[in-house]
């Protein structure tokens, strides 16, 4: 399942983040590449150990925690500290897969990457190319979102970023482990949650059907979720 989450960051938050990160030191994006993706990747990243990256990452994490649609879709258990990337002058990230397990250097913090995410930090009109292309069995999904919006997509997918032929594409990207490992179960929970919210807005939270479906949601979570 691919999900678009709108307005994770406000325009003001995007502008503040950009001021903070644009002035920082950008290094070769292969700092965080696995063996397979190394040859495919040509971009820049904020050095993961830099203070600015860590501070900016905490701002993104904080915003994620306040984005109910993100929480409902991802059911996050552990989020890897967000990173920041930048593509310009023809830079690109060819077809690759994301590592299944990620460990934070020098710590025992480790996640299984169930979902990958890109949070866009610039307007789509400000650059050419730079589409995130995610392959699934149906074909290719092409994503290029307004600043402040993010896409969640299966970490199991082959994906790429097309060359940025003018302007610059700046984004935050990260991986997370979901409480619900199985993507089919996770999607059903998300659909049920959305339906309950629609019904609840219509009938009120005390409605008998709303109560029963809410109970069903939580009982499925009890069966399927790690916590
Ligand atoms: O820049 C993006 O949107 C995706 C980056 C990516 O796929 C990665 O770093 O593994
Ligand atoms: Fe990737």
């Amino acid at each position: 399942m691919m999900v678009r989450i709108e307005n994770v960051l406000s325009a003001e938050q995007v502008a503040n983040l950009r001021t903070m990160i644009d002035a920082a030191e950008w290094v070769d994006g292969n700092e965080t590449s696995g063996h397979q993706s190394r040859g495919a990747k040509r971009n820049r990243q904020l050095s993961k150990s830099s203070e600015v990256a860590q501070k900016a990452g905490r701002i993104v994490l904080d915003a994620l925690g306040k984005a109910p649609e993100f929480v409902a879709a991802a059911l996050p258990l552990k989020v890897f500290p967000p990173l920041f990337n930048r593509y310009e002058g023809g830079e690109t990230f060819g077809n690759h897969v994301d590592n299944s397990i990620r460990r934070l250097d020098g710590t025992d913090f480790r996640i299984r990457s169930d979902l990958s995410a890109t949070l866009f930090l610039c307007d789509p009109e400000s650059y050419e190319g730079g589409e995130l292309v995610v392959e699934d069995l149906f074909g290719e999904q092409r994503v290029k979102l307004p600043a402040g919006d993010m896409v969640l997509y299966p970490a199991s997918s082959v994906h790429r970023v097309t060359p940025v032929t003018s302007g610059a594409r700046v984004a935050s990207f990260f991986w997370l482990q979901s409480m619900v490992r199985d993507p089919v179960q996770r999607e059903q929970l998300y659909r049920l949650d959305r339906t309950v919210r629609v019904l609840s807005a219509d009938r009120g939270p005390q409605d008998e059907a709303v109560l029963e479906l809410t109970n069903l949601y939580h009982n499925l979570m009890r069966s399927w979720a790690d916590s």
Side-chain angles (χ1 to χ4, degrees):
M1 174 178 67
M2 286 182 74
V3 189
R4 171 178 175 173
I5 318 274
E6 293 178 353
N7 302 316
V8 173
L9 296 173
S10 66
E12 193 189 347
Q13 286 173 310
V14 171
N16 289 341
L17 261 185
R18 285 295 303 272
T19 305
M20 186 188 297
I21 65 175
D22 284 357
E25 193 199 348
W26 293 78
V27 300
D28 182 351
N30 282 307
E31 187 190 49
T32 54
S33 296
H35 174 70
Q36 186 279 329
S37 57
R38 186 165 297 266
K41 188 173 188 180
R42 275 197 297 125
N43 68 1
R44 316 282 292 167
Q45 285 176 196
L46 273 195
S47 180
K48 60 187 174 185
S49 51
S50 77
E51 248 172 60
V52 173
Q54 289 174 11
K55 189 168 167 212
R58 282 194 295 274
I59 292 172
V60 171
L61 280 181
D62 188 54
L64 291 174
K66 294 180 182 146
E69 209 59 34
F70 163 77
V71 175
L75 298 172
L77 177 61
K78 296 190 268 183
V79 183
F80 206 72
L83 298 165
F84 297 85
N85 64 15
R86 180 181 184 99
Y87 304 73
E88 59 195 320
E91 286 176 330
T92 180
F93 196 167
N95 264 346
H96 69 279
V97 291
D98 293 342
N99 284 353
S100 49
I101 305 290
R102 291 225 161 226
R103 191 171 62 81
L104 195 59
D105 290 350
T107 73
D108 54 12
F109 181 76
R110 202 167 50 170
I111 69 157
R112 179 190 65 235
S113 56
D114 294 322
L115 288 165
S116 301
T118 296
L119 169 59
F120 289 79
L121 296 178
C122 57
D123 282 321
E125 297 77 32
S126 67
Y127 61 100
E128 301 277 340
E131 286 176 306
L132 173 66
V133 183
V134 180
E135 293 188 356
D136 67 18
L137 291 174
F138 188 71
E140 292 183 345
Q141 311 283 335
R142 296 180 161 261
V143 185
K144 186 167 173 174
L145 300 179
D149 288 6
M150 71 179 265
V151 58
L152 274 175
Y153 59 101
S156 56
S157 65
V158 171
H159 55 275
R160 66 178 180 277
V161 176
T162 62
V164 173
T165 52
S166 78
R169 174 195 194 267
V170 181
S172 176
F173 66 103
F174 54 92
W175 302 273
L176 66 91
Q177 179 169 337
S178 175
M179 288 188 280
V180 177
R181 176 184 202 149
D182 183 277
V184 176
Q185 293 175 340
R186 197 185 315 119
E187 179 172 340
Q188 302 321 305
L189 285 167
Y190 182 47
R191 288 178 183 276
L192 179 55
D193 181 65
R194 285 166 62 105
T195 307
V196 170
R197 280 185 277 149
V198 170
L199 212 58
S200 178
D202 194 36
R203 300 185 177 191
Q206 305 309 325
D207 178 80
E208 216 173 301
V210 171
L211 181 65
E212 188 53 37
L213 287 176
T214 305
N215 195 27
L216 175 60
Y217 177 86
H218 285 289
N219 289 336
L220 289 172
M221 277 290 277
R222 276 186 196 91
S223 299
W224 293 342
D226 300 317
S227 61

